Amino acid sequence: MTTLRDAALTSKAWPFEEARRLLKRVEGQGKDHVLFETGYGPSGLPHIGTFGEVARTTMIRRAFEVLSDIPTRLICFSDDLDGMRKVPDNVPDPEGLRAHLQKPLTSVPDPFGTHESFGAHNNAMLRRFLDTFGFEYEFYSATEFYASGRFDDTLRLAAERYDDLMAIMLKSLRDERRETYSIFLPIHPETGRVLYVPMKHVDAAEGTVTFDDADGREWTLPVTGGQVKLQWKPDFGARWAALGVDFEMYGKDHAANTPIYDGICKVLGGRPPEHFTYELFLDAEGHKISKSSGNGLSIDEWLTYAATESLSYFMYQKPKTAKRMHFDVIPKAVDEYHQQLRAWPEQDAAAQAANPVFHIHSGQVPASDMVVPFSMLLNLASVSGAESKDKLWGFINRYAPGASPEENPQLDRAAEGAVRYYEDFVRPVKVYRSATPGERDALEDLRDRLRAWEGAADDEALQGAVYDVGRERFDPMRDWFRALYQVLLGADQGPRFGGFIALYGVEETADLIDRALAGDLATD
């Protein structure tokens, strides 16, 4: 029988493809572990891109663990020694932070008053964020990494090979930037600010740098012990060398820098890790999502309407393809995720290896209790005017008598999210239209069939009745279903209509048709 490991060796699922590439790198190397890294700039709160990067890296990590018995580690590295370049708008007393511009974030007072520094506050938010979603990781602070001496050997080597490192960087800079650029950023001994100044001298033997500050005073500092930090691009590659990173993924906006990162790593005696470059998320208009502009969808907003697993499912899908990250992707993500859960138990090892839910749940795949799709719950909320999930449960219990909030927690969470989603996004834009004469005739026929219905409210039988009405009058049949959705539901598309009737109720659907034919629904 084919095992999951056998299937993983040939699976086209992208986490397994990346894991196989990584396995080739480390086979025969005698490594006692494989190191994954993700980086974080702690200038603000964690966002949906942070979730995506850690979730996808974890998917590859778990895929590697299927293929190999070599232990793995994941480091989440916070660049909290970076200088605060601007004062955030979303903090208490932003003016009070202005005096601390260009200081390392771990030297800036915490405006929230809960931690020893702004950097420590944001690091705590990051760790809480990662812990909430159950990620397994080790947290590294750049401030501690530099100050503790763990980076010292790499920094001394950077001083020794300063010219080679500068040659890599200067190729990528404009002429005016080259005049003042240095890979080293000294931290002023008096002001505590991170200085962007040219180096007058780099002493390879002593491991020191000499520079003038803004007042023209000359200083000489050791590159070790956290008194000097590296510019962010050299720092990226230097971390790879210092830590022995085997894998790191980053967004397409970093892709052009990959030769720089790799070159820095090699000059510092390291072997560049395997990379994975993912496409960026777009907002509803197709613009790149950014923290500063606040466009697109935040993780808190997603979780207002749907569970974390649906977000993980969205992250899994085609990471090398740019995708719109907007509210209208949520219903589809929820329903497709549960379709995959339902498929899992009957699949063989090869299909399971390719199923997104394996990678979302690291192989520990739960059962789906969604006896009603999320899209159907939205339509039910619409026609019933539900303002709480309790009203939806009245319909659900009739459709699936054994279901309950206690026995179907996924469905209960989805019902709550569907009501919120309907109120926020569907109700404001709903437009019902009147039926045409031909559509009116078909709707009257369907209503009469429902009034005369004597059998059980069976999805398939009711779908057959809907088809019979439409088949006699519409070609193509999609015109009939479009009419049902637009006239009865105020939408351009909708659920499998027989299932909707079974859920909403046969008599209730007949009444809905009467209301539509009487003009009580139409907004055109």
Side-chain angles (χ1 to χ4, degrees), residues 30-34 70-72:
K31 290 180 69 81
D32 59 359
H33 70 277
V34 172
I70 302 174
T72 64

Side-chain angles (χ1 to χ4, degrees), residues 70-378:
I70 302 174
T72 64
R73 296 167 57 209
L74 169 61
I75 287 174
C76 183
F77 196 101
S78 171
D79 189 14
D80 55 18
L81 198 59
D82 194 28
M84 184 175 68
R85 295 180 180 84
K86 65 178 183 177
V87 176
D89 297 326
N90 58 345
V91 298
D93 187 26
E95 283 303 313
L97 293 185
R98 202 162 299 283
H100 301 282
L101 283 170
Q102 301 306 326
K103 289 183 180 179
L105 290 161
T106 44
S107 298
V108 176
D110 178 17
F112 298 92
T114 57
H115 294 78
E116 60 270 25
S117 70
F118 191 30
H121 173 274
N122 288 345
N123 285 340
M125 296 302 101
L126 172 64
R127 299 184 72 170
R128 183 184 305 168
F129 176 89
L130 297 173
D131 292 343
T132 297
F133 299 112
F135 291 120
E136 181 188 329
Y137 66 97
E138 300 168 41
F139 183 79
Y140 275 44
S141 157
T143 299
E144 189 276 334
F145 193 59
Y146 274 87
S148 67
R150 295 187 63 185
F151 212 13
D152 282 357
D153 288 346
T154 300
L155 291 165
R156 290 190 192 97
L157 193 58
E160 290 177 23
R161 300 178 180 177
Y162 181 75
D163 290 342
D164 293 335
L165 296 171
M166 284 291 288
I168 292 172
M169 292 306 306
L170 292 177
K171 288 179 185 176
S172 68
L173 301 175
R174 298 187 302 272
D175 290 343
E176 61 271 20
R177 182 84 171 98
R178 293 178 185 179
E179 298 299 319
T180 59
Y181 184 85
S182 170
I183 62 167
F184 289 118
L185 300 178
I187 299 174
H188 199 288
E190 292 180 350
T191 67
R193 286 182 165 82
V194 179
L195 302 180
Y196 290 77
V197 292
M199 296 298 104
K200 295 175 71 174
H201 179 61
V202 176
D203 191 316
E206 295 296 322
T208 61
V209 292
T210 301
F211 59 94
D212 289 341
D213 65 15
D215 297 324
R217 290 183 297 168
E218 183 177 277
W219 299 85
T220 297
L221 296 177
V223 297
T224 54
Q227 299 188 66
V228 170
K229 78 177 295 288
L230 291 171
Q231 291 256 19
W232 73 270
K233 289 179 186 177
D235 184 89
F236 214 108
R239 285 205 310 263
W240 290 349
L243 293 167
V245 174
D246 293 300
F247 182 91
E248 181 147 357
M249 68 164 52
Y250 39 79
K252 185 181 178 182
D253 49 347
H254 281 270
N257 296 326
T258 298
I260 296 174
Y261 304 152
D262 286 354
I264 296 289
C265 182
K266 290 174 183 176
V267 168
L268 294 175
R271 181 186 180 192
E274 299 302 310
H275 321 109
F276 182 91
T277 303
Y278 56 84
E279 265 288 358
L280 304 178
F281 295 119
L282 309 176
D283 66 12
E285 281 70 49
H287 302 132
K288 174 189 166 186
I289 287 177
S290 71
K291 287 188 289 184
S292 58
S293 62
N295 60 336
L297 187 62
S298 76
I299 193 162
D300 287 338
E301 288 168 331
W302 185 292
L303 298 182
T304 298
Y305 308 105
T308 309
E309 293 79 12
S310 61
L311 177 58
S312 296
Y313 176 83
F314 184 82
M315 292 295 175
Y316 176 87
Q317 299 299 314
K318 298 180 180 178
K320 289 186 176 289
T321 300
K323 294 193 291 294
R324 288 198 316 133
M325 190 72 179
H326 200 60
F327 293 103
D328 57 6
V329 306
I330 294 176
K332 184 172 184 283
V334 174
D335 284 342
E336 288 184 359
Y337 163 71
H338 281 278
Q339 287 169 11
Q340 298 289 359
L341 284 184
R342 288 190 291 273
W344 170 266
E346 306 302 320
Q347 291 177 325
D348 60 18
Q352 287 185 337
N355 190 324
V357 298
F358 170 85
H359 303 279
I360 293 167
H361 294 285
S362 301
Q364 305 300 310
V365 179
S368 172
D369 66 35
M370 287 279 287
V371 295
V372 178
F374 189 81
S375 57
M376 189 82 83
L377 292 172
L378 284 176

